[in-house]
Amino acid sequence: MLSTPYIERAEPHEDHTITLHFENGERKQLDMKPYLETPAFRSLQDLSLFRQVRVVHGSLEWPGERDLAYDSLYAEAIPMEEEG
């Protein structure tokens, strides 16, 4: 069974999406807007807090112990077209 790749880098965007760079070289786009309606992530509607995302142990984390697991993110995020 293949293991799910970890996230190496995350680029937050003004429209509450995040470009995820995985260790296997894939890039995917995650739309966080559905999460922002849940109590755990509602505060991330504030862009200054949303931009504080960081990669911890291959997953995403924000201040206040808000986190999302890499395996769920890999499954939900949409693959991006390769440039050039």
Side-chain angles (χ1 to χ4, degrees):
M1 184 171 138
L2 295 175
S3 62
T4 303
Y6 287 164
I7 298 167
E8 288 188 327
R9 190 163 52 102
E11 299 172 29
H13 304 287
E14 301 291 313
D15 63 354
H16 285 97
T17 62
I18 303 174
T19 300
L20 303 174
H21 298 261
F22 289 89
E23 65 182 346
N24 65 356
E26 287 185 75
R27 285 187 325 137
K28 293 189 173 195
Q29 192 79 10
L30 176 68
D31 184 356
M32 282 292 296
K33 289 184 278 305
Y35 289 94
L36 302 180
E37 300 304 318
T38 66
F41 293 98
R42 191 168 287 132
S43 63
L44 298 181
Q45 292 176 10
D46 177 347
L47 277 173
S48 64
L49 185 58
F50 179 74
R51 283 190 215 108
Q52 293 180 44
V53 65
R54 59 192 190 122
V55 176
V56 177
H57 302 295
S59 296
L60 297 183
E61 182 178 287
W62 287 268
E65 298 183 13
R66 292 172 199 83
D67 61 359
L68 292 168
Y70 68 93
D71 52 350
S72 298
L73 297 173
Y74 186 80
E76 291 177 31
I78 298 170
M80 297 177 68
E81 296 282 326
E82 289 300 316
E83 296 175 1

